[in-house]
């Protein structure tokens, strides 16, 4: 028996002298194994062969790559949803639904076939094993995982608007306490080997070079091909749903679900349903219930846009969708960073973590050393959490040279300026660096508001000047805005994108403007919170309704994090440059009173819209009542309208950036809005929010809000055009990567 006999292209199949088959998953032309229709077909063929061949005692599944699998190719799922819509048109809704259910439940049925074929299957997990791949592991009768830092298991589907639909909800909820299972499914986190063992998700943790042998040994020793839930007399970990023990779980679980999701995520609700209903049924019926919920969620608008934005579009941007094809890949080995404050130190940390050498410069040695100490504190925190080792700290710090000597920048492949947000200070640092850098060295500014074109005037080579805008805290935030000045060349753009990819962050390319993309949108969000406060909306209601709308944190709390004094400085700078008409005078008065009148700068000095006691949680500052001469009755306020104001004000600004050519690709607007400032992920992003509503409906909503609350909601011409033609942003601009003229 060999692999040719069973026509495998994604697997290798072999049998040893003990009668144990080894199925090695190794897809050609891919860096990682993924589940595709072809993979499912081949797996079904192997299951049939193992079950039918008396000479085979059992089968071990392993990976031929340096990791196991990230799960299903989500574009396959999106195609299935598209096929449903086509079949609905051609064959009618009932026939289309039947076909869709059969298609979407195929993987679940395949895994159940493996689980009940009568022969034992073991799996050797050598690295990342997530989503549908981990559901495969859960269907196997024995699971061995490598004891390495790279090995992880988990079911992260919730993060793209889905939930585990190949048996994950049913198997996990029968392996651990119901509350723990729900928490795992809701969070979608990646779990380390020892934690997975403690959670009963794997049977054995072993050295990486022994996992296949351990899996084989279990089969040879008489391992049974029967799952725990197929054994007679199986008892659920948390008892029956309708029992005293069960009723300790479900009311609390429902309350937590509503608190955390505000009912915005159908996939999370489907998890609750699947587990609650499934635990009351025989296993095969439970799987069918799960499959029905999975088919429903797969067709939901939330899943469609979240898969597109957070999987497909984000993957394309990470792989260089906006990178100039005419520039060879640039290997960046040495990076100079000007400014060793929290932002500069954060950039130094992520750069050194990616294996590059860093020259960290500040105005004197003491300041530079403090920046390096910030890096040391960051890596120490990772060690405490078990995410790094002492040797990692030594290696990282050895790559960072803290100095006040600009001559140390010589030989840098890239220099990033992250000094104080002041035009003169930035120009001085740029000129000092320019004096020691070789011609052609790419120079980047981390400015958050100042136009790149004007900053490039301080550098002798504006074609080699680009913006690389990080978000705070640098080590946690995934988004980086790469900003093109009027004269920025392709090599500078390519270098910036290669660098961002090297530090494992997601870039979006934006064109020069005040505030660029993310800060323009999130600035509108914060301003809307300020305006509501002035109107008399209760502060707690402002914060809670914003989170109900899908934002991760309220606008007042967010302003505290970025700094109320910084928000005021941005308004003052805008007023100086563009005049009084460019700012909101009421907002300016509020922030001036907060900063100069009350010394409330935000979280950094423990006083902002919130009070931050040394001990205990933050609380809203009672003094906010003084800024509300009129107090609105919360019972008479339209919560739906408040939620719309928060989302529409950001989406309208995103549309303006498209109209102005600041953003030229809707993928970047959507990805940037979610990972950059937390725009309600269930919408798919700012432009997907508009497209899903329809341009005509969105314009009508804008006009209604404009009539009640002011000109800031006025829809730009691009929206009026789309409304008139019935068009959409993705229909008109999808895949557009050309640089704006």
């Amino acid at each position: 028996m060999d692999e040719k006999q069973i026509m495998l292209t994604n697997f290798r199949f072999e049998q040893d002298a003990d009668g144990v088959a080894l199925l090695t998953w190794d897809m050609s032309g891919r860096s990682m194994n993924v589940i595709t229709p072809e993979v499912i077909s081949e797996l079904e063929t192997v299951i049939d062969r193992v079950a039918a061949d008396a000479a085979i005692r059992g089968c071990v599944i392993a990976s031929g790559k340096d990791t196991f699998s990230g799960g299903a190719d989500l574009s396959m799922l999106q195609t299935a949803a598209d096929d449903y819509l086509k079949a609905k048109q051609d064959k009618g809704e009932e026939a289309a639904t039947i076909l869709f259910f059969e298609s979407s439940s195929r993987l679940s049925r395949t895994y159940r076939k493996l689980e009940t074929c009568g022969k034992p299957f073991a799996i050797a997990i050598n690295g990342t094993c997530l989503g549908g791949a981990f559901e495969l592991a859960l269907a196997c009768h024995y699971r061995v995982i490598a004891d390495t830092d790279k090995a992880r298991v988990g079911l992260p589907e919730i993060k793209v608007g889905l939930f585990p639909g190949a048996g994950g909800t049913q198997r996990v909820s029968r392996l651990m306490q119901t509350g723990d299972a729900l928490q795992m499914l809701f969070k979608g986190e990646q779990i380390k080997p020892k934690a997975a063992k403690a959670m009963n998700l794997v049977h054995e943790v072993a050295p990486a070079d022994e996992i296949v042998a351990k899996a084989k040994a279990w089969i040879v020793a008489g391992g049974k091909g029967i799952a725990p839930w197929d054994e007679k007399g199986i008892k659920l970990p948390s008892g029956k749903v309708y029992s005293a023990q069960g009723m300790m779980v479900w009311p609390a679980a429902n309350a937590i679900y509503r608190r955390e999701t505000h009912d915005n995520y159908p996939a999370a609700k489907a998890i609750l349903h699947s587990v609650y209903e499934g635990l009351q049924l025989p296993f095969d019926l439970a799987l069918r219930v799960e499959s029905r919920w999975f088919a429903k969620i797969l067709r939901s608008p939330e899943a469609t846009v979240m898969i597109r934005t957070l999987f497909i579009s984000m993957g394309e941007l990470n792989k260089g969708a906006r990178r100039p094809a005419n520039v060879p890949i640039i290997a960046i080995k040495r990076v100079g960073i000007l400014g060793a404050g929290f932002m500069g130190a954060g950039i130094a940390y992520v750069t050194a973590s990616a294996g590059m050498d860093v020259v960290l410069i500040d105005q004197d040695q003491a300041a530079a050393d403090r920046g390096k100490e910030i890096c040391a504190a960051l890596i120490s925190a990772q060690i405490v959490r078990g995410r790094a080792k002492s040797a990692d700290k030594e290696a990282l710090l050895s790559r960072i040279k803290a100095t006040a000597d600009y001559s140390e920048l010589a030989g840098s492949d890239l220099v990033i300026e992250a000094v104080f947000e002041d035009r003169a200070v930035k120009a001085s640092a740029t000129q000092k660096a320019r004096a020691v850098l070789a011609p052609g060295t790419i120079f980047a500014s981390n400015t958050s508001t100042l136009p790149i074109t004007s900053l490039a005037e301080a550098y002798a080579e504006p074609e080699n000047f680009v913006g690389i805008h990080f978000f705070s805290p640098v080590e946690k935030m995934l988004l980086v805005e790469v900003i093109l000045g009027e004269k920025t060349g392709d090599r500078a753009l390519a270098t910036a994108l290669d660098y961002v990819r090297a530090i494992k962050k997601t870039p979006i390319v934006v064109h020069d403007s005040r505030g660029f993309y993310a800060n323009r949108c999130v600035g509108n969000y914060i301003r809307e919170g300020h305006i509501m406060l002035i109107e008399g909306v209760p502060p707690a209601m402002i914060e809670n309704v914003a989170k109900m709308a899908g934002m991760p944190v309220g606008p007042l709390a967010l302003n505290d994090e970025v700094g109320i004094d910084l928000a005021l400085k941005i308004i003052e700078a805008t007023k100086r440059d563009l005049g009084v008409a460019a700012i909101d005078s009421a907002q300016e008065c509020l922030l001036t009173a907060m900063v100069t009148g009350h010394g409330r700068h935000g979280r950094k000095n423990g006083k902002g819209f919130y009070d931050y006691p040394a001990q205990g949680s933050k609380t809203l500052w009672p003094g906010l009542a003084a800024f509300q001469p009129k107090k609105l009755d919360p019972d008479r306020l339209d919560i739906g309208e408040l939620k719309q104001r928060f989302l529409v004000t950001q989406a309208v600004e995103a549309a303006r950036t498209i109209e102005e050519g600041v953003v030229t690709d809707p993928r970047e607007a959507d990805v940037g809005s979610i990972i950059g400032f937390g725009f309600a992920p269930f919408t798919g992003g700012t432009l997907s929010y508009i497209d899903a509503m329809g341009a005509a409906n969105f314009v009508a909503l804008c006009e209604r809000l404009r009539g009640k609350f002011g000109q800031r909601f006025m829809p730009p011409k691009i929206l009026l055009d789309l409304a008139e033609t019935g068009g959409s942003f993705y229909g008109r601009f999808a895949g557009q990567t050309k640089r704006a003229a």
Side-chain angles (χ1 to χ4, degrees), residues 540-576:
M541 191 172 189
I542 293 171
E543 299 291 87
N544 288 331
V545 169
K547 287 184 278 190
M548 290 170 66
M551 299 301 293
V553 64
L556 305 181
L558 181 58
N559 199 172
D560 276 0
E561 293 296 329
V562 300
I564 301 174
D565 55 337
L566 176 59
L568 179 59
K569 286 175 183 175
I570 291 172
I571 287 176
E572 291 170 342
T574 303
K575 185 178 178 181
R576 282 194 305 271

Side-chain angles (χ1 to χ4, degrees), residues 25 32-36 39 43 61 63 67-73 107 111 114 123-125 127-140 143 152-157 164 166 168:
W25 192 2
M32 180 180 283
N33 296 320
V34 295
I35 298 168
T36 65
V39 165
L43 186 57
I61 302 176
S63 170
T67 192
F68 193 84
S69 169
D73 181 350
L107 189 61
Y111 290 170
L114 178 152
I123 193 164
I125 303 169
T128 300
C129 181
L130 303 175
F134 186 51
E135 289 180 287
L136 169 62
L138 291 171
C140 290
R143 297 174 286 280
R152 296 286 191 279
V153 298
L155 298 168
E157 289 89 341

Side-chain angles (χ1 to χ4, degrees), residues 452-454 456 462-463 465 483-489 511-512 739-741:
I452 291 298
T453 300
S454 60
E463 70 277 10
F465 195 101
I483 305 143
L484 299 174
E486 289 179 6
K487 297 182 179 179
T488 301
H511 295 263
D512 215 359
R739 295 179 59 169

Side-chain angles (χ1 to χ4, degrees), residues 4-232:
K4 288 183 180 179
Q5 287 179 291
I6 48 176
M7 301 291 290
L8 301 180
T9 57
N10 296 292
F11 296 91
R12 295 191 300 274
F13 187 84
E14 53 195 325
Q15 184 179 335
D16 66 14
D18 292 321
V20 178
L22 176 63
L23 182 67
T24 304
W25 192 2
D26 194 359
M27 301 177 76
S28 62
R30 290 182 181 260
S31 59
M32 180 180 283
N33 296 320
V34 295
I35 298 168
T36 65
E38 294 75 25
V39 165
I40 299 172
S41 294
E42 292 187 7
L43 186 57
E44 289 172 340
T45 300
V46 169
I47 295 167
D48 289 338
R49 177 56 60 91
V50 170
D53 193 332
I56 299 178
R57 301 172 64 175
C59 182
V60 172
I61 302 176
S63 170
K65 300 186 184 298
D66 59 4
T67 192
F68 193 84
S69 169
D73 181 350
L74 293 187
S75 58
M76 170 183 74
L77 300 180
Q78 190 177 54
T79 299
D82 293 340
D83 289 344
Y84 163 75
L85 295 176
K86 186 176 185 302
K88 184 177 177 181
Q89 272 188 331
D90 297 342
K91 301 179 180 180
E93 185 171 3
E94 183 176 350
T97 301
I98 292 171
L99 288 172
F100 185 77
F101 179 75
E102 291 302 306
S103 172
S104 62
S105 62
R106 182 185 176 195
L107 189 61
S108 181
R109 296 196 309 273
T110 300
Y111 290 170
R112 185 58 173 160
K113 183 177 184 179
L114 178 152
E115 192 171 55
T116 59
C117 74
K119 297 282 182 73
F121 274 77
I123 193 164
I125 303 169
N126 62 318
T128 300
C129 181
L130 303 175
F134 186 51
E135 289 180 287
L136 169 62
L138 291 171
C140 290
H141 307 100
Y142 196 73
R143 297 174 286 280
V144 186
I145 189 169
D147 189 10
T148 66
D149 291 336
K150 292 184 178 180
R152 296 286 191 279
V153 298
L155 298 168
E157 289 89 341
I158 191 71
K159 295 183 177 181
V160 290
L162 291 173
F163 77 102
T169 65
Q170 302 310 310
R171 293 185 175 95
V172 164
S173 61
R174 286 164 173 77
L175 287 172
M176 61 176 77
Q177 296 288 323
T178 304
D180 295 336
L182 289 172
Q183 185 176 46
M184 175 191 167
L185 293 166
F186 283 154
K187 288 186 174 182
E189 293 178 342
Q190 298 185 21
I191 302 165
K192 294 180 179 180
K194 290 179 181 176
K197 174 74 162 58
M199 295 166 72
N200 204 30
L201 294 173
V202 299
H203 297 91
E204 190 173 356
V205 180
D209 58 355
E210 297 179 15
I211 57 174
V212 172
K214 295 279 188 182
K216 284 186 175 183
W218 175 80
I219 293 174
V220 172
K224 292 183 179 180
I226 185 168
W229 32 89
D230 290 322
E231 298 271 12
K232 289 184 179 179

Side-chain angles (χ1 to χ4, degrees), residues 253-274:
N254 190 55
I256 292 169
Y257 154 76
R258 293 193 177 276
R259 184 191 70 193
E260 296 299 319
T261 71
H262 300 288
D263 227 10
N264 287 324
Y265 294 89
K269 191 171 187 177
I271 287 172
L272 270 184
H273 274 286
S274 293

